[in-house]
Amino acid sequence: MINVFNRKEVCITYDMAEQARVRDILKQNNIEYDLDTKRIESPLGGQSLISSPLGAQVSVNSDMSNRCLEHKVYVKKSDYELAKKLIEK
């Protein structure tokens, strides 16, 4: 069982396909893992400022450009070296 005291972060990514690839590799090699996904939002809360060529700032409302998911994959400390090698291939 993985817990806060015996785990080590083996991967951090914002790409859903990459986190799926990492999970598949770990699963195929019988390495227990824990996935922590967190939504990261812009401090502007869905608003984005874009500067025009004349220097004016325009507010753009775009949920997709200001929100993303951060995926952290953890493994047991004892499995870290093997997991890291397998992921980097």
Side-chain angles (χ1 to χ4, degrees), residues 1-3 5-11 22 25-34 73-88:
M1 180 174 166
I2 297 178
N3 61 49
F5 303 108
N6 73 353
R7 72 181 186 179
K8 191 167 181 178
E9 181 183 295
V10 73
C11 174
V22 169
I25 289 170
L26 296 175
K27 191 173 185 178
Q28 289 171 0
N29 290 279
N30 297 318
I31 298 175
E32 188 179 358
Y33 65 88
D34 189 20
V73 181
Y74 298 95
V75 296
K76 289 181 182 178
K77 288 180 183 178
S78 59
D79 294 331
Y80 177 80
E81 293 299 325
L82 175 59
K84 196 70 173 170
K85 285 180 186 177
L86 291 169
I87 290 169
E88 290 176 352

Side-chain angles (χ1 to χ4, degrees), residues 10-65:
V10 73
C11 174
I12 182 169
T13 185
Y14 300 93
D15 181 9
M16 181 71 87
E18 175 65 9
Q19 71 88 6
R21 183 188 75 84
V22 169
R23 286 186 308 111
D24 287 345
I25 289 170
L26 296 175
K27 191 173 185 178
Q28 289 171 0
N29 290 279
N30 297 318
I31 298 175
E32 188 179 358
Y33 65 88
D34 189 20
L35 177 65
D36 183 22
T37 302
K38 180 174 26 172
R39 176 175 285 178
I40 307 296
E41 292 193 32
S42 165
L44 298 173
Q47 296 288 321
S48 183
L49 294 176
I50 299 174
S51 294
S52 73
L54 300 175
Q57 290 190 336
V58 179
S59 178
V60 177
N61 201 2
S62 172
D63 287 341
M64 293 307 288
S65 67

